[in-house]
Amino acid sequence: MQYLIDAYEAIRDFLELGGPVLQIIGFNILILWILILERLIFFRTGLKTIVQESLQEWESRPERRSWQAHQIRDGILSRARMAADHHLPMIQTLVALCPLLGLMGTVTGMISVFEVMAISGTSNARAMAAGVSRATVPTMAGMVGALSGVFLVTILTRTAKRTTGLLEDEMTMDH
């Protein structure tokens, strides 16, 4: 139990060190990872089901060469692509937002350093250090969030394209 209390206090102290922008970055990263985990779980379970159902729907057609059959095939493929790509644009946006929020934290932290310098000059090093930490911690957090998200969004995007490409290849037009 003491471990949980210590972990909570460490997280609270870290969030206070980075200021209010760090809380926004933390919320952004939380939503980012919830969406990434949802996509990973979906790719392991739901996407496979959609691919199988799409193939069954196509294979059950008696005729596959007419213009109407081509349109039906395109509709089936489009539904599968939409399901595979569902949250990917939002994930990419949240990844791109992380370093921008980190930059906003840098600016707000440096503003507090300049405020201290305007009030007390350069003699109050402790107050200036608090502003510098308020500037650097959100920058670091934004970059860590972006780097972790970039790697996984690349994997998710490639998996979605590969899966829908394989489905398209399997839905042959012959018969």
Side-chain angles (χ1 to χ4, degrees):
M1 186 67 179
Q2 184 63 32
Y3 176 74
L4 292 174
I5 293 171
D6 291 342
Y8 171 76
E9 288 175 357
I11 291 170
R12 185 193 65 214
D13 293 343
F14 180 73
L15 288 174
E16 287 176 8
L17 183 65
V21 176
L22 187 60
Q23 295 172 357
I24 296 169
I25 293 170
F27 182 73
N28 184 56
I29 292 172
L30 175 69
I31 299 299
L32 170 72
W33 276 96
I34 288 172
L35 291 175
I36 286 173
L37 290 174
E38 183 274 332
R39 286 286 90 188
L40 289 172
I41 292 168
F42 176 75
F43 284 176
R44 292 276 182 188
T45 58
L47 187 58
K48 290 180 180 182
T49 304
I50 289 173
V51 167
Q52 289 171 352
E53 290 172 356
S54 297
L55 281 172
Q56 287 175 353
E57 182 181 351
W58 179 249
E59 294 295 328
S60 68
R61 288 193 50 78
E63 187 273 322
R64 298 184 201 151
R65 289 194 167 270
S66 68
W67 178 86
Q68 183 180 9
H70 284 264
Q71 298 304 311
I72 290 171
R73 178 181 181 268
D74 289 345
I76 293 169
L77 288 171
S78 179
R79 282 194 305 269
R81 276 192 199 100
M82 285 176 53
D85 295 341
H86 183 59
H87 286 299
L88 294 181
M90 177 61 80
I91 293 171
Q92 291 168 339
T93 302
L94 292 172
V95 166
L97 195 57
C98 282
L100 296 175
L101 290 171
L103 182 61
M104 187 171 81
T106 302
V107 171
T108 57
M110 292 310 294
I111 288 172
S112 67
V113 169
F114 295 141
E115 286 176 351
V116 167
M117 289 175 66
I119 293 171
S120 64
T122 58
S123 62
N124 193 349
R126 181 172 290 206
M128 286 177 26
V132 170
S133 70
R134 193 165 279 206
T136 56
V137 170
T139 304
M140 177 213 46
M143 295 310 288
V144 167
L147 289 174
S148 66
V150 163
F151 177 69
L152 282 166
V153 79
T154 302
I155 290 172
L156 292 173
T157 303
R158 286 183 182 175
T159 302
K161 285 182 181 178
R162 183 177 58 240
T163 303
T164 55
L166 290 173
L167 175 62
E168 187 173 0
D169 292 344
E170 289 183 34
M171 293 175 67
T172 60
M173 302 299 279
D174 61 347
H175 193 340

